[in-house]
Amino acid sequence: MPKTKYLSEAEKKLGRKHMYRQELYNGVAYSLLGDTLVYLLAISFGAGNIALGYISSASYIAGIVLPFVPQMFQGRNHIKVQSLVWVLRGMVCLLYLGLFVISGDFAVLLLLVVYTLFNIFRMVGIALNDSTLKNISSVSNRGKVVANVNAAYQSSSIVVRVLTALFLGIQRFSGLVGLVALQMVGVVVNLLASREMSLIPSRSTIVYKKGRTVMVLLKEAMGSVTFRRRLILRWISTAVAVIFGLTTPFLRIELGLSNSVVVLYSVTLGVSVMAASYISKQFSDRLGSRPLVFFSTLFSLFFFMAWVLVTKSVSPVWFFILGFFTNFFVSLISLLTYRLVAQVMPDEETVAFNSMVNFVIAIIAFGVGILSGFLADKADFARS
């Protein structure tokens, strides 16, 4: 009897084992290759607020390429494509070694180009990830699988961020050498993550339906009240997350905290994401996402107002506390709105639908990121 695209229970179990391992490695790799260390590198080369705003939104901006993914990889095994883009995601970061031979605006430009390429490959992999999770789980255990994947990622991410803070706290590694060395470790661990991903069983291929463009899918979604409300919530939550991301360079520039302390701040944010994931898992099914989104929005508004009112003369500890609670509610909103959208996502066009959603997110994130940097420049000018 010929095998179908659907996996057997034994294959699903094997796939989950490699998926959990992949996420453990991925938590380490992204923590070293992601935005926190890129912020610190950019600041060390004198990057302006607009460049920092771009970095805050780059992980979303990369979604601009997603509409082309189904057509580019039509008929290809989706795990092979996913593991390939993960390899490319890491290898492009080898270009950071060029920071040892250039400086100033050229170094900032190199950072922005490499980080953009990194996120383009990452976003393609993320677009395929929902299909992977669906293939290796069933309706009865999908929630548990998603929770375990998130736990594997967050736990390794927090551990490596603590170790990173200790490493950067050593004087000789606190600058460019230490930051780039950590990026290279991230490249190696990223290859391990890609290898684990390639071992996940899959017979699914990427499907492209001619004529089902981003504009067609967007028009259909906006014509449905159910889709429209959920997508608008998802897009607004993304804009808020981009704005909040700028608190990381704020601590380095405005408060003058060391690189190691800024990394510890990112640990605080990681713990807040884990707390938000736990609350979402415990209560979203029982209470529903909408009431939780409403109350989370009220609390996040309160904490954003606190960011506006607090002065940099207070102890940095208060910024850590403020960052934890703000990111907790921002992350909770993001998780809940993702859940709302996932509930109505069409089974046959998962990749195409994800591409449309993230394409709009890319446009919104780019606008919000650049506008935030522009307004920060205006504020700096007004103070001077």
Side-chain angles (χ1 to χ4, degrees), residues 338-354:
Y338 178 83
R339 178 178 179 272
L340 283 170
V341 173
Q343 286 174 338
V344 296
M345 190 177 295
D347 289 333
E348 296 301 319
E349 293 184 295
T350 301
V351 175
F353 188 84
N354 263 337

Side-chain angles (χ1 to χ4, degrees), residues 25 56 70 76 81 89 104 107 124 204 209 231 240 256 300 303 343:
Y25 287 130
S56 178
R76 302 285 184 89
V81 173
R89 179 186 91 147
V124 174
S204 296
K209 293 184 179 180
L231 288 174
V240 173
S300 64
F303 285 109
Q343 286 174 338

Side-chain angles (χ1 to χ4, degrees), residues 291-353:
L292 287 175
V293 168
F294 176 76
F295 287 110
S296 297
T297 301
L298 290 180
F299 280 108
S300 64
L301 286 173
F302 170 79
F303 285 109
F304 269 111
M305 185 59 67
W307 275 99
V308 173
L309 297 177
V310 73
T311 62
K312 61 183 181 182
S313 60
V314 304
S315 170
V317 173
W318 288 106
F319 287 97
F320 276 61
I321 295 172
L322 194 55
F324 175 88
F325 284 107
T326 310
N327 198 53
F328 170 81
F329 288 109
V330 169
S331 298
L332 186 55
I333 293 170
S334 179
L335 289 167
L336 293 170
T337 54
Y338 178 83
R339 178 178 179 272
L340 283 170
V341 173
Q343 286 174 338
V344 296
M345 190 177 295
D347 289 333
E348 296 301 319
E349 293 184 295
T350 301
V351 175
F353 188 84

Side-chain angles (χ1 to χ4, degrees), residues 18-59:
H18 289 297
M19 187 71 172
Y20 297 152
R21 288 179 180 175
Q22 187 269 335
E23 285 300 320
L24 281 171
Y25 287 130
N26 191 38
V28 175
Y30 187 74
S31 296
L32 298 177
L33 300 175
D35 55 1
T36 300
L37 295 189
V38 175
Y39 277 133
L40 297 177
L41 282 167
I43 292 168
S44 70
F45 286 105
N49 289 319
I50 291 179
L52 296 175
Y54 177 85
I55 292 171
S56 178
S57 59
S59 60

Side-chain angles (χ1 to χ4, degrees), residues 167-179 252 258-260:
F167 178 77
L168 292 176
I170 301 172
Q171 185 63 38
R172 69 169 64 182
F173 300 124
S174 61
L176 178 62
V177 172
L179 291 170
R252 182 72 180 90
S258 67
N259 287 343
S260 60

